[in-house]
């Protein structure tokens, strides 16, 4: 093997720790920006989704986190691309163009669907699951389980009958 | 329970009627309130905020209201800021109009009622004109000190008492409906003192109000063509809504008509109260994940169905009025049957008006709306039949003089006697 | 696109009609299929699986069906496993019954049609009795090789062709409805060869089917009392469902009637097809978070509203039939008006039957059901009126011999001429 030139050695000496540090940082940031705390608390706009998932078995007992449903788990490349894209979009929108209601994109629905199946493989192994309704089109309340606006969640019936 | 108020240093005097004063403390809500001045039709098909004439849209209404001021001037309603302009300009108001008509038009009303007591109601309308300065505004729904929602109309407090409901126990979500139920309800002037009263003694449904009106022998006017003692229904928005699937799920008026809107990074309740078809995303998509197009189609599709049935009933009513009118000019018409025909006219038109005067073209409770209209059609056609029989049998001199006494029970069988038809000749 | 099949070693012969053979491969589904033998009423108010007599519940139907076998024997339907027993025991089947009646009752049918071609349909019913051995079973909906859902009835394939739909392109979710649409649809026997045909040429709605029947001058029988040429509606479950809010959201028949049920650690589709009121939790609560009690109340509340309107229409029809019947015995009755009254009877009873023969008491599409019934009431009362006028004017010898020609357009005005009532004397 050709010996490394001193120049390169010098660069490597500098670069390796930097790359390592960067990798650790990215890794840390990736983790940090994938916590429930981060997703739910950083932006005001995310609070309803955060709060509405509190009282669901997924959060309460099973420690299933935002990322388990909302990030791709099958291949790293998709995960990184999706995370960068959606993170950038969320930051942009949050700053310049916050919407009144949040709606999932097709991409994100595909991701959620594959995550449902990932965990619940055995439950659905005997039924057909392609080309039909998505899991959460039947399980409409999972895990953001409420029908009312977060602000008016008291169940009432018209007071007078 | 109560709504948190944004902190502020300025204070609002108790009962302050002028929204501009409130606006200093709550500029965002005030700004959105003022947007009600815009008169948009937008996505709306049967509502919207353009004061178009209902009489021009459906001229048959002139006939249905014959003999009553609604046959002269009756427009699509618009935003709250227009309430004073509209009530003073309408040709339905005349020298005999009383102050009861002010009740739902201005925050100046509650103090006046407090001062004048029950003499308020029958005071001539014109006499109070100078003291009523602001159209519907903040003080109609809010407490100035706490900003909490508040029932300011004695008329609703009266009605709650009748129903045994303690207003102090209403939850915040319920209040988000009940502030609207102050005004968006069917009412009548109590005969003795003209106090505005909601006919809820027997319940909130169309049939319950009718039962009360029958009991007290109430009528709004005599129909000019048919001579029937008529009932006028007016905006039973809250009552019809109560029978629907949204009410059953605790959805409040404000959820759809005052949705939360973004104001910078925080949200406020939109105070541009209008057709939710013009705020589908904010009004509906928090609960319904479907597309705006789907939601719009559902609303308008439902309304089209109700409208179509309403038009059938208008046609049937028009026929019934003609039949009664013509028959009544025939001196041989059987009086008893004519009375019956008029009762049927009264009952069927009450049903029509209940849905027609309600403002959502049935969307607030589609099934109930269609049920009520179906009953109306049945009664209107029976009115037409009865009037025809009142003349027909009299003119024909049939064997059986009681012919047609029970329309709806096989009149022509009675007319001829079972299997006795040949005898008629 | 197509569904993956759970792996299995056993094989099922193509088209195997015997469910027990399939049951060896799919024991769970088979076991739940067999539960259809239980005949429960459960939570159901208007449906359920007890073969009660519709004629005993509402004797007025005997009159409405006068002259037609449905007036003799007509029961609540029950599970698929009973299909053969019911079709062979019903008194509606007689020596003149044809094999078209087998079409929706057994998996033995498709091979027979393949073999016999169009001669199948008009073959006497009794002649094929020996070859038809199994009630509705697996092979009616599934492909034996792949287990995928499959349309096995040529009658639906015909109809899809008429509508320009390519069956190969239906998604899995659509197939979860279309296997049911093989049978749960309105049909008629094509006059030339008695082939079972779905009247979808102009669309899926009540009005579209009527349009086709008018076009080909179709009638099922002549009413014994009114003499009107009648249409019989039969189970337009799929068609009515298509107009409703669940269909608009892509919900399939199987979602409610074959909900997933837990079987150990995995789930299967329930093959105990029945009223969803008896599986509220599985059928509805994955989509609707409300309580079972709420859901039951919504279904039955809706059905009560539809039922009430249906009863009003029954009453109106009964009156119309009496009126036409009596008038027709009067030789002076105006023929033209009698024809018109009979047409109105036909059209209104078609509307009644469309909702009455549909199996959900309106729940599949409440608004459309109520709209259709409303129209029916309008037409039935007009039929009654027209029959009365046909005799009334004839007997009365009024000034205007064309009186009542246009019922629904103010007949008694016509009768007297405008303002001309006094002349009548
Ligand atoms: Ca309006
Ligand atoms: Ca049944």
């Amino acid at each position: 093997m050709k010996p490394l030139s001193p120049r390169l050695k010098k660069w490597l000496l500098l670069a390796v720790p930097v790359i390592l540090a960067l990798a650790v940082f990215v890794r840390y940031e990736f983790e940090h920006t994938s916590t429930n705390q981060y997703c739910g608390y950083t932006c005001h706009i995310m609070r309803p989704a955060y709060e509405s998932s509190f009282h669901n078995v997924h959060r309460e007992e099973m420690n299933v986190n935002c990322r388990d449903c909302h990030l791709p788990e099958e291949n790293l490349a998709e995960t990184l691309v999706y995370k960068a894209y959606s993170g950038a979009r969320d930051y942009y929108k949050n700053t310049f163009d916050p919407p009144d209601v949040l709606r999932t994109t097709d991409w994100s629905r595909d991701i959620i669907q594959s995550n449902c199946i990932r965990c619940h493989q055995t439950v659905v192994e005997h039924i057909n699951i392609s080309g039909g309704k998505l899991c959460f089109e039947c399980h409409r309340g999972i895990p953001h389980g409420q029908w009312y606006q977060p602000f008016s969640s008291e169940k009432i019936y018209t007071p007078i009958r | 329970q109560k709504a948190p108020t944004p902190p502020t240093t300025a204070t609002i005097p108790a009962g302050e009627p002028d929204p501009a004063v409130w606006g200093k403390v709550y500029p965002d809500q005030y700004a959105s309130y003022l947007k009600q001045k815009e008169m948009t039709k937008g996505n709306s098909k049967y509502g919207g905020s353009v004061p178009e004439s209902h009489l021009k849209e459906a001229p048959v209404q002139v006939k249905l209201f014959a003999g009553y001021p609604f046959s002269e001037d009756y427009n699509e309603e618009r935003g709250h800021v227009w309430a004073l302009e509209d009530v003073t300009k309408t040709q339905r108001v005349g020298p005999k109009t009383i102050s009861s008509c002010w009740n739902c038009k201005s925050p100046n009303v509650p103090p006046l009622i407090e001062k004048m007591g029950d003499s308020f109601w029958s005071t001539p309308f014109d006499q109070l004109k100078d003291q009523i300065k602001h159209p519907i505004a903040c003080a109609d729904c809010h407490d100035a000190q706490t900003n909490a929602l508040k029932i300011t109309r004695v008329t609703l407090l009266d009605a709650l008492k009748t129903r045994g409901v303690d207003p102090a126990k209403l939850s915040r979500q319920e209040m988000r409906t009940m502030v609207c139920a102050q005004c968006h309800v069917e009412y009548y002037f109590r005969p003795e003192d003209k106090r505005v009263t909601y006919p809820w003694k027997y319940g909130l449904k169309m049939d319950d109000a009718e039962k009360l009106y029958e009991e007290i022998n109430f009528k709004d006017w005599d129909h000019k063509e048919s001579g029937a003692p008529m009932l006028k229904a007016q905006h039973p928005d809250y009552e019809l809504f109560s029978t629907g699937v949204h009410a059953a799920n605790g959805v409040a008026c404000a959820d759809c008509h005052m949705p939360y809107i973004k104001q910078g990074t925080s949200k406020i309740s939109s105070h541009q109260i209008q057709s939710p078809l013009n705020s589908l995303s904010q009004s509906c998509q928090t609960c319904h994940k479907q597309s705006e197009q789907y939601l719009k189609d559902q609303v308008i599709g439902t309304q089209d169905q109700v409208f179509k049935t309403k038009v059938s009933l208008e046609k049937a009513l028009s026929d019934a009025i003609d039949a009664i009118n013509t028959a009544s000019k025939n001196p041989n018409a059987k009086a008893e049957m004519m009375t019956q025909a008029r009762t049927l006219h009264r009952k069927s038109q009450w049903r029509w008006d209940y849905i027609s005067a309600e403002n959502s073209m049935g969307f607030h409770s589609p099934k109930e709306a269609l049920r009520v209209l179906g009953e109306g059609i049945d009664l209107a056609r029976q009115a037409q039949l009865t009037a025809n029989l009142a003349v027909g049998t009299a003119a024909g001199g049939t064997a059986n003089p009681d012919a047609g006494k029970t329309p709806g029970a096989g009149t022509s069988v009675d007319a001829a006697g079972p299997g006795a038809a040949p005898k008629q000749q």
Side-chain angles (χ1 to χ4, degrees), chain A, chain B:
Chain A
M1 215 219 282
K2 210 171 131 198
L4 295 170
S5 77
R7 206 184 143 89
L8 191 59
K9 268 190 195 151
K10 204 171 104 196
W11 272 113
L12 272 182
L13 215 62
L14 261 169
V16 167
V18 167
I19 288 171
L20 269 178
L22 209 72
V24 169
F25 177 73
V26 167
R27 171 83 195 157
Y28 167 79
E29 266 309 305
F30 181 89
E31 286 304 328
H32 169 67
T33 60
S34 301
T35 59
N36 294 345
Q37 205 61 21
Y38 173 81
C39 296
Y41 255 88
T42 316
C43 300
H44 202 275
I45 207 171
M46 299 296 296
R47 285 293 283 278
Y50 179 68
E51 282 162 14
S52 62
S53 67
F54 270 155
H55 300 292
N56 185 267
V57 274
H58 288 92
R59 282 286 303 283
E60 241 170 14
E61 293 156 32
M62 296 302 157
N63 195 29
V64 178
N65 301 304
C66 309
R67 62 178 295 180
D68 296 322
C69 288
H70 288 289
L71 282 185
E73 295 279 345
E74 272 148 25
N75 91 53
L76 186 64
E78 190 191 2
T79 309
L80 290 173
V81 172
Y82 179 77
K83 187 142 174 72
Y85 155 76
S86 64
R89 181 205 58 195
D90 285 5
Y91 264 95
Y92 176 81
K93 286 267 187 156
N94 195 55
T95 317
F96 299 110
D97 184 17
D100 288 303
V101 291
L102 303 187
R103 310 197 57 215
T104 46
T105 60
D106 288 346
W107 190 0
S108 117
R109 272 198 293 274
D110 284 348
I111 293 167
I112 302 171
Q113 173 77 355
S114 59
N115 280 321
C116 303
I117 296 171
R118 181 169 59 86
C119 293
H120 295 292
Q121 204 109 47
T122 49
V123 172
V124 300
E125 71 189 349
H126 288 132
I127 60 165
N128 300 329
I129 55 176
S130 60
K133 280 194 148 348
L134 298 170
C135 307
F136 46 89
E137 281 173 339
C138 278
H139 299 281
R140 287 204 289 179
I142 297 217
H144 305 291
Q146 62 172 327
W147 269 107
Y148 316 112
Q149 299 191 31
F151 321 91
S152 45
S153 56
E154 287 167 76
K155 269 203 180 180
I156 65 124
Y157 300 89
T158 171
I160 318 168
R161 282 278 173 198
Chain B
Q1 166 100 355
K2 289 300 167 210
T5 324
T8 160
T9 48
T11 52
I12 304 168
E16 173 59 50
D18 187 354
V21 175
W22 294 62
K24 300 227 171 72
V25 184
Y26 307 113
D28 292 342
Q29 283 82 359
Y30 183 54
S32 100
Y33 166 87
L34 287 179
K35 282 213 193 125
Q36 290 178 110
K37 291 204 171 147
E38 292 166 18
M39 291 182 289
T40 35
K41 184 89 181 169
N43 279 331
S44 180
K45 181 166 174 185
Y46 297 101
S49 316
V50 184
E52 297 152 320
S53 165
H54 288 313
L55 302 176
K56 276 200 198 126
E57 284 159 24
V60 66
Q61 300 199 12
V62 176
K63 183 169 171 184
L64 302 190
F65 289 131
Y68 202 52
F70 273 84
S71 66
E72 283 149 39
D73 191 12
Y74 179 24
N75 297 330
E76 172 64 25
E77 84 292 357
R78 44 184 169 163
H80 287 158
V81 291
W82 296 100
L84 276 199
E85 163 140 358
D86 287 344
V87 76
T88 48
K89 296 256 168 78
T90 180
Q91 290 160 40
R92 298 205 301 275
V93 161
K96 282 198 274 176
T97 304
I98 55 174
S99 289
S100 292
C101 289
W102 291 119
N103 188 57
C104 298
K105 306 289 185 277
S106 164
N108 297 111
V109 166
L112 277 171
I113 296 180
E114 190 126 311
K115 204 172 72 186
M116 300 170 63
D118 271 346
S119 74
F120 169 83
W121 313 103
S122 50
T123 304
F125 183 84
D126 282 341
Q127 203 168 305
L128 296 180
K129 221 170 206 158
D130 297 338
Q131 301 181 57
I132 293 190
K133 300 200 181 94
H134 299 283
I136 300 160
C138 324
D140 281 316
C141 301
H142 289 283
D143 183 280
Q145 254 66 57
T146 64
N147 195 43
L149 293 178
K150 184 181 169 186
I151 297 177
T152 60
R153 289 303 184 276
V154 286
T155 49
L156 178 58
L157 294 173
D158 289 351
L160 291 178
K161 209 170 191 178
T162 319
R163 301 290 319 140
V165 174
D166 178 353
K169 292 210 179 111
L170 294 172
S171 69
R172 186 186 134 225
Q173 178 67 355
E174 286 169 324
M175 285 301 285
R176 288 164 56 88
T177 293
M178 295 317 284
V179 288
C180 316
Q182 299 186 99
C183 302
H184 288 265
V185 292
E186 159 67 4
Y187 68 90
Y188 69 107
F189 297 155
R190 191 166 67 185
E192 54 269 39
D193 56 6
K194 305 292 177 199
R195 187 178 174 108
V196 172
T197 312
Y198 308 158
W200 297 354
K201 181 172 168 192
Y202 293 110
L204 282 185
K205 289 195 159 193
M206 175 280 289
D207 317 68
D208 299 321
E210 185 180 46
K211 187 169 166 196
L212 175 71
Y213 288 142
E214 295 304 330
E215 183 179 281
I216 63 171
N217 241 316
F218 192 81
K219 70 173 175 188
D220 281 295
W221 89 102
D222 287 315
H223 197 277
K224 201 169 144 196
E225 297 189 18
S226 82
M230 303 299 288
L231 295 172
K232 175 81 191 79
Q234 16 240 341
H235 36 75
D237 302 333
Y238 168 67
E239 295 94 323
L240 186 71
F241 170 76
S242 301
T243 64
V245 76
H246 284 103
N249 282 282
V251 184
C253 312
D255 288 337
C256 295
H257 289 282
M258 304 183 68
Y260 291 107
I261 50 169
K262 277 275 155 43
Q263 204 77 42
T265 56
S266 64
K267 294 187 179 189
I268 63 159
S269 301
S270 167
H271 279 65
Q272 183 186 6
I273 299 176
Q274 60 168 340
S275 164
L277 287 174
N278 295 328
S279 57
L280 282 166
S281 177
Q282 297 88 339
S283 291
C284 321
Q285 287 186 324
T286 37
C287 295
H288 296 283
K289 297 280 156 209
Q290 300 93 335
S291 68
E292 291 194 30
Q293 188 61 46
Y294 160 90
L295 290 161
K296 186 179 152 191
D297 289 348
Q298 283 298 311
V299 173
I300 291 183
T302 299
Q303 291 181 324
D304 282 345
Q305 251 167 333
V306 173
F307 180 73
K308 206 177 152 186
T309 308
K310 183 172 95 86
V311 168
S312 301
L313 177 47
E314 275 159 19
K315 180 105 191 47
L317 277 168
S318 171
D319 290 347
I321 292 171
D322 287 347
I324 299 174
N325 191 11
T326 315
S328 69
K329 294 188 185 124
N330 185 330
N332 286 340
K334 302 206 100 195
E336 201 185 333
M337 289 178 69
M338 290 305 292
T339 308
Q340 203 178 0
R342 291 191 181 102
T343 305
L344 287 164
H345 176 210
R346 167 186 163 100
K347 289 172 90 71
S348 57
Q349 187 160 328
W350 161 249
R351 282 161 177 74
W352 168 80
D353 210 4
Y354 201 86
I355 302 307
S356 180
E358 205 276 343
N359 285 291
S360 67
M361 191 56 82
F363 179 79
H364 288 150
S365 185
K367 290 172 268 191
E368 176 70 359
L370 287 161
R371 178 189 76 85
V372 168
L373 290 173
E375 276 189 28
I377 292 174
D378 202 0
L379 296 168
R381 289 289 177 206
Q382 289 189 40
Q384 182 189 8
L385 175 68
T386 310
N388 269 290
L389 291 176
V391 201
T393 51
T398 50
N400 178 356
D402 284 324
K405 222 177 182 174
T406 45
T411 26
S412 83
V413 175
D414 297 340
K423 277 196 215 140
Q424 280 202 319
Q425 297 161 55

